[in-house]
Structure formats: structure tokens, C-alpha cells
Amino acid sequence: MQSTTCLILDIGSGTQDVLLYQEGLELENCPKFILPSPARNVGARIRELTKAGRDIYLHGQNMGGGFWRAVKAHQDAGLKVYAHPEAALALGDDLDQVRGHGIEITSIPPLSASQVLLTDFDPGFWRGLLQHAGLPQPDLVLACVQDHGFHPGKSNRISRFAYWERFMNEDGGDISRLLYADPPEEMTRLQCLRRSIGVGLVADTGSAALLGALFDPSVERTAATDGVLVVNVGNSHTIAFLVLGTRVLGVYEHHTGHLDEARLLDHLTRFRHGELGNAEVFDDGGHGCVTVPDLPDGFERIVVLGPRRALLADAKVEFLAPGGDMMLAGCFGLLKGWRQQGGAY
């Protein structure tokens, strides 16, 4: 039977961490890439055009908006920014608000402007990179991004956490429900990613991190018996899960830049005892916190992932390296989720 090749991407705000998984090949021998995130590449391209004195036209689709500062600097230099309506969604759900920032939204590219493609996944880029590296083209793609959801006029912190509240309340925290062939309608960034990749599955980056921790057999065993607290300290967001068996019993999400070790440890301690309120986290500048009623005791084992994990360097926690590479934890998580769904495509 022919083996399957999967291109697996964890697309964050700083990096995109990539595994080219080939069935029958040891994980250690599968090609790996740590590349700048698509948003960082867009920002770099805009800065090049700012130096060249060129107006810009943003086209493509919704993606991570981490290039906003480059857009603002472009405007501050006295240059114009145009955007296609679909691409403008990368800058905000409310297009009137985007217009209010001086961006002209038009479906017709101005002849005077240099075009800048917005997309989390560019099939042509990956075809070319793999071809030049002498690597096989994938049979399917597994990819994750962080999606705040589409909720014009509402705080994206509230709308973002509504996703986790629905997962807890409607899906029962069932870990098997974290990968999508058809993402929820309001998760517009995931919808765009799903269309871009073609054959494959998508997920939120938080879900991929959780599954990545459970890729470690020891962590999965602890989760099955005593429960485990999984923490991912990302470049922009910190997210934590209380996991018991195959269910998530609590989710906490905050902005990493608002946290220091003492504050995060205080939050995590009260979180695993069911004593941290949603309003407190939101009022502190985070997204929120939700736990099931009558949370059981346990979750004493705390395992930590993420590029900013040094925030907890002096704490009594375990730093994980699933599959031997911490930066690819999300990729291994997507691989685990795909396998749990039967490895079909």
C-alpha cells in the first residue's frame, strides 16, 4: 500500500513550524522547517515597498494580521494603502472601521499600487520549496492558525473565547472534536485556510498545542488517570487546558505580553482548582477562563510548551519536547489528531 505524505504546519504570529511527515519514515528523519510566519513576511514586504515609496494594494484573503504596524508605518510615510474586501478582513471584522483607518477598500487593483498577497497558506510557495529541496509533494495538508472568529462590533477577546466556551458546553470538551474538515462558520480565518490547503484538515493553534502535549505517551498516561495541566506559552497568547481522559475540563487564555511568572503561576494555581473567574482574566487584558462545574481534584502535573516557555523557567513545571522537538509540538499534535480520526483524506 502506498505511504502517505503529510505537510503539517503550525502557523503562529512569529514563526510557522512545519513537518513533512512521511509514513514509514522515522519522525527523526522527517524534514522539518522553522520559518518566519506569513504575517511577518507580509510585514517585511510592506516595509520594502515603504522604502521604495510605492502605494500598496492588499489582495488575497483573511489571514493573521500581525503586519498592522507595517501598514500604519506605510501610511505615516505618506503612502496609500488599498485593500480588496476579502483581504481587508485580515485587518478587522468591521470594514467601516478599517476604512476609518484610512484604508481604501476596492475590488479593483489601482494601477499605481504594488500588490501584496495576503494568505496563511500559499500552495505555490510550498510546491516550489519542496521541489527545490528534492522532497515529495504532499497527499494532504494539516494546518493550524489562531482564529478570533468573525464578530463585527464586538471585542475579539470575547468572540475568541466564545469558541472555547462552545467547545466546552456543546462539544463536551471532547478532544476528538478539535480538527475540522469543515470549520465553524464564524471561524473565517480557518475557513480561508481550509480552502487554501485543498485536501486536509485544520485546527486552532491552541488545539494543536494540546494534542502536541498528549503526543508524549507519559503525558497521555497521566491525563488518563490523574489529569494534567497543559500550558502553551506562545509569542502572543498563553493558553492552558485541564485534561482528564479524553476530555478538556477547563480552558484559560491570556496575552503573553501581560504576564510575568508570578501572575501566570497564580492564575494557573487557581485555574486548576476551579477558583479563577472568567471576568477576572478578561479584566486583566486576557481572553477568559472556563471550567466545568464540580471540577475534580488533581491536575498536579504541569507540562509546558511554547516559544516563550522561559517565562516559567523557575517554576516547578515540566518542559516538554514531543517527538524530540518542542517547536514542532503543534505539528505532532495535528498528526496525532489526524491519526485519531483514522488517518483518512
Side-chain angles (χ1 to χ4, degrees):
M1 189 170 77
Q2 184 177 2
S3 61
T4 300
T5 298
C6 300
L7 180 63
I8 309 177
L9 305 96
D10 181 352
I11 303 169
S13 61
T15 64
Q16 53 181 331
D17 312 320
V18 186
L19 172 70
L20 187 67
Y21 171 71
Q22 298 168 260
E23 282 187 323
L25 191 64
E26 298 86 352
L27 281 179
E28 290 80 2
N29 288 320
C30 289
K32 304 172 183 178
F33 311 88
I34 306 296
L35 302 173
S37 68
R40 284 183 61 187
N41 289 333
V42 168
R45 177 60 178 153
I46 292 173
R47 286 189 289 273
E48 288 176 358
L49 294 170
T50 303
K51 290 179 181 178
R54 300 280 299 176
D55 295 337
I56 59 173
Y57 178 67
L58 308 176
H59 69 104
Q61 60 187 356
N62 192 2
M63 66 170 294
F67 53 87
W68 175 254
R69 289 183 181 178
V71 169
K72 183 64 169 63
H74 196 79
Q75 292 176 311
D76 290 345
L79 299 166
K80 293 183 179 180
V81 178
Y82 304 90
H84 187 280
E86 293 184 11
L89 293 171
L91 299 172
D93 292 340
D94 188 335
L95 294 188
D96 286 335
Q97 191 174 61
V98 175
R99 290 186 185 95
H101 288 291
I103 296 170
E104 184 174 332
I105 299 177
T106 173
S107 59
I108 302 174
L111 295 177
S112 61
S114 295
Q115 297 193 22
V116 179
L117 175 64
L118 304 190
T119 183
D120 281 313
F121 181 85
D122 181 352
F125 169 83
W126 285 106
R127 268 196 308 271
L129 187 147
L130 295 177
Q131 182 178 0
H132 285 297
L135 296 171
Q137 298 296 322
D139 298 299
L140 77 157
V141 178
L142 310 174
C144 64
V145 295
Q146 186 186 76
D147 194 335
H148 283 84
F150 182 75
H151 299 275
K154 295 183 180 179
S155 164
N156 66 12
R157 289 190 290 141
I158 293 176
S159 60
R160 161 72 181 170
F161 206 72
Y163 168 78
W164 293 115
E165 291 175 321
R166 186 180 65 249
F167 168 68
M168 294 285 291
N169 297 327
E170 297 180 14
D171 294 336
D174 183 352
I175 291 173
S176 69
R177 305 289 294 273
L178 290 173
L179 266 64
Y180 302 108
D182 185 16
E185 183 178 347
E186 70 274 14
M187 307 306 282
T188 51
R189 186 180 175 193
L190 277 178
Q191 289 275 359
C192 288
L193 179 65
R194 179 66 188 85
R195 289 192 294 270
S196 296
I197 66 173
V199 178
L201 300 170
V202 297
D204 187 84
T205 50
S207 301
L210 166 60
L211 289 165
L214 296 174
F215 190 86
D216 184 312
S218 170
V219 175
E220 189 169 43
R221 285 194 296 270
T222 302
T225 55
D226 304 320
V228 64
L229 171 53
V230 176
V231 185
N232 186 71
V233 189
N235 285 313
S236 296
H237 290 78
T238 292
I239 189 164
F241 301 91
L242 299 172
V243 189
L244 182 62
T246 60
R247 291 184 59 213
V248 173
L249 303 188
V251 184
Y252 160 91
E253 190 167 32
H254 210 310
H255 290 105
T256 305
H258 291 202
L259 298 168
D260 56 23
E261 184 179 86
R263 177 176 294 184
L264 179 54
L265 284 175
D266 171 64
H267 283 184
L268 293 176
T269 298
R270 290 188 286 135
F271 171 53
R272 70 184 182 88
H273 291 296
E275 299 170 353
L276 182 64
N278 181 69
E280 179 181 348
V281 177
F282 183 81
D283 291 343
D284 193 47
H287 284 273
C289 176
V290 58
T291 54
V292 297
D294 302 318
L295 185 71
D297 294 332
F299 311 104
E300 294 184 5
R301 185 177 180 186
I302 304 174
V303 297
V304 181
L305 302 161
R308 299 283 302 280
R309 64 197 182 284
L311 187 69
L312 293 174
D314 298 322
K316 293 181 179 180
V317 299
E318 296 176 47
F319 287 172
L320 291 183
D325 191 330
M326 189 286 301
M327 285 299 289
L328 292 184
C331 296
F332 292 126
L334 292 171
L335 177 60
K336 180 178 181 64
W338 173 66
R339 286 172 169 172
Q340 287 178 335
Q341 293 191 12
Y345 65 96

